[in-house]
Amino acid sequence: MTETSHTRLLSRKISDYCRIRFDPLFPPQEGARIRAFLLNLISCAESPPRKLRDYDWQEIGILCDLSDEAIRSAQTAIEPALDAIARNTKTAPKPAMIASRRLTKSQPHARERPLQLVTKSVSGWRGKLR
């Protein structure tokens, strides 16, 4: 996937945020795994895992290979970074989704739709089905 200047900027800001906020809280290996997880979300343009209206902390802990206790203690530090990534991925267009639009049974093909003729009457425009 090609990186735009916006994703490069966000990646750099998230990396700086991790260096400032995570390095004092975590051992170096855990901080590096969290940083890699967040940067992977940005590079793949994926939203963070969610459960209802909150983040799925259990899934995030599994993906970062952190214990339940470690992820619970780090939620307040990680959440701003996840919010920034979620805002970024919401506005990013997904070309694969646009190109793969499929017709469902409720949407007949254009040739199968009935034609509608529009005629001008005294009372205004009205449509007639053929």
Side-chain angles (χ1 to χ4, degrees):
M1 177 174 204
T2 60
E3 285 192 17
T4 63
S5 61
H6 180 72
T7 56
R8 281 193 304 264
L9 177 65
L10 182 64
S11 296
R12 190 176 72 224
K13 285 187 176 195
I14 293 295
S15 186
D16 291 344
Y17 179 84
C18 292
R19 184 178 39 80
I20 293 167
R21 294 291 301 264
F22 298 158
D23 288 351
L25 293 176
F26 297 106
Q29 301 86 6
E30 290 180 1
R33 286 194 301 262
I34 295 170
R35 180 181 293 120
F37 166 72
L38 295 173
L39 294 176
N40 187 42
L41 287 176
I42 295 168
S43 67
C44 295
E46 293 181 7
S47 294
R50 296 191 77 92
K51 185 181 279 186
L52 297 178
R53 292 186 176 194
D54 196 18
Y55 295 110
D56 188 354
W57 293 108
Q58 185 177 11
E59 180 70 20
I60 293 170
I62 291 169
L63 292 171
C64 293
D65 196 26
L66 296 174
S67 66
D68 290 339
E69 182 181 310
I71 198 69
R72 263 187 260 118
S73 67
Q75 283 181 1
T76 57
I78 297 173
E79 195 164 13
L82 294 174
D83 291 341
I85 293 169
R87 282 191 306 272
N88 179 55
T89 55
K90 240 184 233 181
T91 58
K94 305 240 186 224
M97 301 263 308
I98 295 168
S100 67
R101 182 177 176 259
R102 296 181 184 218
L103 296 174
T104 62
K105 289 186 179 184
S106 64
Q107 296 175 319
H109 193 271
R111 288 177 290 201
E112 298 170 3
R113 292 185 198 140
L115 295 177
Q116 184 175 9
L117 299 175
V118 178
T119 59
K120 176 113 178 174
S121 68
V122 176
S123 62
W125 292 95
R126 68 175 182 191
K128 291 183 180 178
L129 293 178
R130 190 190 307 178

